[in-house]
Short mmCIF file of all heavy atoms in Angstrom, two decimals:
data_model
loop_
_atom_site.label_atom_id
_atom_site.label_comp_id
_atom_site.label_asym_id
_atom_site.label_seq_id
_atom_site.Cartn_x
_atom_site.Cartn_y
_atom_site.Cartn_z
N PHE L 403 76.04 110.24 155.88
CA PHE L 403 75.53 110.65 154.52
C PHE L 403 76.26 111.88 153.95
O PHE L 403 76.49 112.07 152.75
CB PHE L 403 74.03 110.92 154.46
CG PHE L 403 73.19 109.75 155.04
CD1 PHE L 403 72.41 109.99 156.25
CD2 PHE L 403 73.14 108.54 154.47
CE1 PHE L 403 71.66 108.96 156.86
CE2 PHE L 403 72.45 107.57 155.06
CZ PHE L 403 71.68 107.77 156.20
N PHE L 404 76.53 112.84 154.96
CA PHE L 404 76.94 114.10 154.50
C PHE L 404 78.46 114.35 154.86
O PHE L 404 79.03 115.47 154.65
CB PHE L 404 76.20 115.21 155.18
CG PHE L 404 74.72 115.15 154.90
CD1 PHE L 404 73.79 115.28 155.95
CD2 PHE L 404 74.17 114.70 153.67
CE1 PHE L 404 72.41 115.04 155.72
CE2 PHE L 404 72.74 114.59 153.46
CZ PHE L 404 71.99 114.71 154.52
N GLN L 405 79.08 113.39 155.49
CA GLN L 405 80.57 113.45 155.77
C GLN L 405 81.50 113.73 154.65
O GLN L 405 82.45 114.52 154.80
CB GLN L 405 80.97 112.23 156.55
CG GLN L 405 80.59 112.13 157.90
CD GLN L 405 81.01 110.92 158.64
OE1 GLN L 405 81.75 110.20 158.17
NE2 GLN L 405 80.42 110.70 159.82
N PRO L 406 81.22 113.22 153.37
CA PRO L 406 82.12 113.45 152.33
C PRO L 406 82.37 114.95 152.00
O PRO L 406 83.43 115.33 151.55
CB PRO L 406 81.52 112.79 151.12
CG PRO L 406 80.71 111.63 151.70
CD PRO L 406 80.18 112.11 153.12
N MET L 407 81.29 115.86 152.21
CA MET L 407 81.44 117.14 151.93
C MET L 407 82.53 117.86 152.92
O MET L 407 82.96 118.87 152.74
CB MET L 407 80.19 117.95 151.93
CG MET L 407 79.20 117.63 150.68
SD MET L 407 77.59 118.42 150.71
CE MET L 407 76.86 117.30 152.05
N LEU L 408 82.67 117.18 154.11
CA LEU L 408 83.54 117.69 155.16
C LEU L 408 84.89 117.11 154.99
O LEU L 408 85.92 117.80 155.00
CB LEU L 408 82.95 117.41 156.53
CG LEU L 408 81.44 117.98 156.81
CD1 LEU L 408 81.15 117.57 158.26
CD2 LEU L 408 81.45 119.45 156.64
N THR L 409 84.92 115.76 154.80
CA THR L 409 86.26 115.10 155.01
C THR L 409 87.03 115.41 153.68
O THR L 409 88.35 115.27 153.72
CB THR L 409 85.97 113.49 155.07
OG1 THR L 409 85.20 113.01 154.07
CG2 THR L 409 85.35 113.30 156.50
N VAL L 410 86.40 115.76 152.60
CA VAL L 410 87.24 116.07 151.33
C VAL L 410 88.00 117.36 151.41
O VAL L 410 89.14 117.60 150.88
CB VAL L 410 86.25 116.06 150.12
CG1 VAL L 410 85.46 117.46 150.10
CG2 VAL L 410 87.05 115.96 148.86
N VAL L 411 87.46 118.25 152.34
CA VAL L 411 88.11 119.49 152.39
C VAL L 411 89.54 119.52 152.89
O VAL L 411 90.49 120.21 152.32
CB VAL L 411 87.36 120.67 153.19
CG1 VAL L 411 87.93 121.98 153.37
CG2 VAL L 411 85.86 120.78 152.58
N PRO L 412 89.84 118.88 154.01
CA PRO L 412 91.27 118.69 154.45
C PRO L 412 92.16 118.08 153.40
O PRO L 412 93.40 118.40 153.23
CB PRO L 412 91.24 117.83 155.70
CG PRO L 412 89.82 117.84 156.12
CD PRO L 412 88.99 118.15 154.96
N LEU L 413 91.71 117.18 152.62
CA LEU L 413 92.46 116.55 151.41
C LEU L 413 92.67 117.46 150.41
O LEU L 413 93.85 117.38 149.80
CB LEU L 413 91.68 115.23 151.07
CG LEU L 413 91.35 114.23 152.19
CD1 LEU L 413 90.89 112.92 151.48
CD2 LEU L 413 92.47 113.88 153.04
N GLN L 414 91.72 118.34 150.14
CA GLN L 414 91.93 119.46 149.03
C GLN L 414 93.13 120.37 149.53
O GLN L 414 94.07 120.63 148.77
CB GLN L 414 90.76 120.18 148.88
CG GLN L 414 89.62 119.50 148.29
CD GLN L 414 88.25 120.20 148.27
OE1 GLN L 414 88.04 121.23 148.97
NE2 GLN L 414 87.20 119.77 147.55
N LEU L 415 93.09 120.76 150.80
CA LEU L 415 94.11 121.54 151.25
C LEU L 415 95.45 120.91 151.40
O LEU L 415 96.49 121.49 151.04
CB LEU L 415 93.68 122.14 152.73
CG LEU L 415 92.63 123.17 152.72
CD1 LEU L 415 92.05 123.33 154.19
CD2 LEU L 415 93.16 124.55 152.21
N LEU L 416 95.38 119.70 151.77
CA LEU L 416 96.67 118.87 151.89
C LEU L 416 97.30 118.82 150.44
O LEU L 416 98.51 118.98 150.30
CB LEU L 416 96.32 117.45 152.28
CG LEU L 416 97.54 116.50 152.69
CD1 LEU L 416 98.37 117.07 153.83
CD2 LEU L 416 97.08 115.12 152.96
N ALA L 417 96.57 118.49 149.40
CA ALA L 417 97.15 118.45 148.12
C ALA L 417 97.56 119.91 147.63
O ALA L 417 98.75 119.83 146.97
CB ALA L 417 95.99 117.93 147.09
#
Side-chain angles (χ1 to χ4, degrees):
F403 308 115
F404 309 135
Q405 285 181 8
M407 288 179 283
L408 305 181
T409 54
V410 74
V411 176
L413 307 189
Q414 294 170 346
L415 287 168
L416 188 63

